[in-house]
Amino acid sequence: MPTQRLFERIDSIELQRVSKKYGSRYAVESLELTIEGGELLILIGPSGSGKTTTLRMINRMTKPDSGNILINGQDIMQLDPVRLRRNIGYVIQNIGLFPHMTIGENVGLVPKLEGWDEKRTNGRVRHLLDFVSLPPEQFIKRYPRQLSGGQQQRVGLARALAMDPPLLLMDEPFGALDPILRKQLQKEFLEIKKEIGRTIVFITHDIEEALRLGDRIAIMDNGRLVQVGAPEDLIFDPVNDLVSDIVDSERKFKHMDMLNVKDLMTPLDAKYILDGGMNACEAVEIMKDRDIDIGIVFENGMLAGKVEMINLLKCEDERPFLRDITKPMKVFALRDSVATALSEMKMSREHMAMVMNADTVCGILVSDEVLLKLI
Ligand code: ADP
Ligand code: MG
């Protein structure tokens, strides 16, 4: 019998004072952490700091000694562990493909266990192999030992995605790969992440990987959560030396003081531009079409401010003109220092600012993009 889905999507995962001891030593101690639906949360920290234990407690491979873990408000200890795990994709470093099964059989294993017929399973397997850039006609019949490490890692990801799980747990998935392959897979993974929009908890020991991929980063040490925040939070406000050592702010971001906004801005893509005379309803349609959630409003060639999709949806009924509901945007000049701009943006919790030269728009400054250019 096919098992029913436990949840279609994740709204939140709450770890409430979760502890796990091995012998007399805490592997995880009183961990408080909320993972938001749709985010990619990175766990990073020294070896032995409790990252893997944390991940394994979320899919019930390890049982906490105390504390609760709630998914969408439901205590996971009340759920059937097998059903829970079928809703969670799990990817580890040495993915443990079954050596005597073909790639196709490995990826299709869980759908088959779920009672899918051969045709449906086969279709799904082909789709997934395509998705992870392993052409099915070439790979489906091969055995794991005939694949390189990077290819095996892709198969592991395809297998974890087989049942289209709303939650993915990944434990150093690219850890064993050489740097070039690793970058390649990170790039592809960012695409996958955009496309699937699911919640992902991702362990790495590589801070560059963390800054590149993470929406937020949680730093663990000695079984405890030291700090959790967006990359810029950790870079600008590290709570202690461990955090600044890990993000390596000294080395990586020192030269930021010498850079101007001009050096790191991006040209303003025309797709972001909306006209002030448009109403909220029209804007929502256009923004959906263009796949943007922030719009920059101009009227008669002058910058009026920005609008955000979430706010537009709220006022769709009244259909106000954009010019009446724009919010001011931070504006920087070409020669402003990047460090100052980023810290101002961080303080006002804005991710995008305009770069102008007198009245002329030169480009935009996007905080994540700037950080990626610096690492
Ligand atoms: P990390 O993934 O951050 O390297 P782990 O969560 O694997 O850390 O381990 C945290 C601590 O718990 C370590 O000291 C480790 O030795 C210990 N530990 C983890 N799993 C077990 C186990 N099954 N038995 C005994 N000790 C364990
Ligand atoms: Mg580990």
Side-chain angles (χ1 to χ4, degrees), residues 48 51-53 171-172 203:
K51 306 178 296 291
T52 295
T53 306
D171 195 343
E172 307 207 27
I203 299 180

Coordinates of all heavy atoms in Angstrom, one line a residue, residues 48 51-53 171-172 203, ligand 2:
G48 N 32.9 17.1 15.4 CA 32.4 16.6 16.7 C 31.5 17.6 17.4 O 31.2 17.4 18.6
K51 N 26.8 18.3 14.6 CA 26.0 18.6 13.4 C 25.2 17.4 12.9 O 24.0 17.4 12.7 CB 26.9 19.2 12.3 CG 27.7 20.4 12.7 CD 28.7 20.8 11.6 CE 29.8 19.8 11.2 NZ 30.8 19.6 12.2
T52 N 26.0 16.3 12.7 CA 25.4 15.1 12.2 C 24.3 14.6 13.2 O 23.2 14.2 12.8 CB 26.4 14.0 12.0 OG1 27.3 14.5 10.9 CG2 25.8 12.7 11.6
T53 N 24.6 14.6 14.5 CA 23.6 14.2 15.5 C 22.3 15.0 15.3 O 21.2 14.5 15.4 CB 24.2 14.3 16.9 OG1 25.4 13.6 16.9 CG2 23.2 13.8 17.9
D171 N 24.2 15.8 4.6 CA 25.4 15.8 5.5 C 26.7 15.8 4.7 O 27.1 14.8 4.2 CB 25.3 14.6 6.4 CG 26.2 14.7 7.6 OD1 27.1 15.6 7.5 OD2 26.0 14.0 8.6
E172 N 27.3 17.0 4.6 CA 28.5 17.1 3.8 C 28.4 16.4 2.4 O 29.3 15.6 2.1 CB 29.7 16.6 4.6 CG 29.8 17.2 5.9 CD 31.2 17.3 6.5 OE1 32.2 17.4 5.7 OE2 31.4 17.3 7.7
I203 N 24.8 20.3 6.0 CA 26.0 20.4 6.8 C 27.2 20.5 5.9 O 27.3 19.9 4.9 CB 26.2 19.1 7.6 CG1 25.0 18.9 8.6 CG2 27.5 19.2 8.4 CD1 25.1 17.7 9.5
Ligands
MG2 MG 29.3 15.0 10.9

